[in-house]
Amino acid sequence: MAKTLQAYPRPSVAVDAAVLTVPPGRPLSVLLVLAGADDWRLPGTFLHEGETLRDAVLRALKSKAGVEGLDPRQLRVFDDPTRDDRGWVLSVAHFDVVRSDRLPASDAVRLVPISELPVMKYDHAAIVAAAVEALRAEYAEDPDPRGLLDRPFAMPDLRRVHEAIAGQRLQPDTFRRAMRAKLTPTGETVVLGRGRPAELYR
């Protein structure tokens, strides 16, 4: 006789969300929530019976971080059987990338530069690293696929976003040549600092 599903051991299923952003004048950052004394981690929760993964991650973002209206995408499954000291837990990691003005900040919710991550439980640092890798792949193909800049924008502003995401300085002339073919000039200019007016693109 065939075994029923109850005959097989089953893990708990969790969702964790890496929400990335580039705050003005700051490096690439991730949204972390305070779960206890000095216990900063990604917003996450366990999947409820009858609930979709998407509904679970949206619930976690709202209840843990006070964030609504995002569109997180599945990143990958983190399935190391030893990842959670409480038992066998799979995490279906999600990520999103939004402007920082859409994310709240409080004593229990912070935007933390990815280069300054605290020690986090489970494999949340690995989830952040995977989200950053995915984001860098997106920005290697398109100028601003996640809409982190106002439209239209100047080339120096676009370069600063790419530098924040890449985690390194980019040579201005090389960057300009790589981006111009993917942009449309608006015919308008803007004054940035003391230099000559900068052309605006979309």
Side-chain angles (χ1 to χ4, degrees):
M1 186 173 64
K3 292 183 178 180
T4 65
L5 289 177
Q6 284 69 31
Y8 297 93
R10 288 174 289 177
S12 298
V13 178
V15 293
D16 294 296
V19 181
L20 302 175
T21 189
V22 179
R26 295 180 60 196
L28 179 64
S29 301
V30 64
L31 182 76
L32 298 183
V33 297
L34 186 62
D38 296 322
D39 181 8
W40 290 94
R41 61 179 70 172
L42 298 174
T45 190
F46 284 95
L47 186 68
H48 289 176
E49 185 174 357
E51 187 177 40
T52 66
L53 292 167
R54 177 177 174 80
D55 286 344
V57 75
L58 292 175
R59 174 170 58 81
L61 287 167
K62 180 179 179 180
S63 63
K64 302 292 180 64
V67 179
E68 296 185 78
L70 301 191
D71 186 25
R73 306 174 188 177
Q74 286 190 30
L75 180 61
R76 53 172 276 209
V77 176
F78 287 76
D79 61 354
D80 184 341
T82 64
R83 63 176 298 276
D84 193 317
D85 57 11
R86 296 169 296 182
W88 187 18
V89 180
L90 305 180
S91 175
V92 183
H94 290 64
F95 89 113
D96 204 351
V97 186
V98 297
R99 293 168 58 103
S100 60
D101 56 13
R102 296 184 60 187
L103 302 175
S106 67
D107 291 341
V109 180
R110 290 182 183 172
L111 294 177
V112 178
I114 61 168
S115 60
E116 301 173 13
L117 289 178
V119 176
M120 294 187 287
K121 296 181 69 173
Y122 318 124
D123 47 13
H124 285 194
I127 294 174
V128 173
V132 170
E133 181 181 5
L135 177 62
R136 286 174 176 168
E138 289 185 21
Y139 273 76
E141 297 295 327
D142 294 295
D144 188 23
R146 292 297 189 135
L148 292 173
L149 287 168
D150 289 326
R151 299 293 195 268
F153 50 78
M155 191 70 73
D157 293 328
L158 180 63
R159 190 181 76 251
R160 279 190 283 271
V161 167
H162 277 253
E163 288 177 335
I165 292 170
Q168 62 182 352
R169 187 179 182 277
L170 302 175
Q171 210 286 328
D173 291 339
T174 302
F175 180 80
R176 176 182 294 274
R177 286 194 297 269
M179 288 292 118
R180 283 196 64 135
K182 302 177 181 181
L183 300 172
T184 301
T186 66
E188 301 174 349
T189 59
V190 64
V191 176
L192 299 175
R194 293 179 295 178
R196 64 182 182 181
E199 192 170 7
L200 293 176
Y201 298 88
R202 61 175 181 269

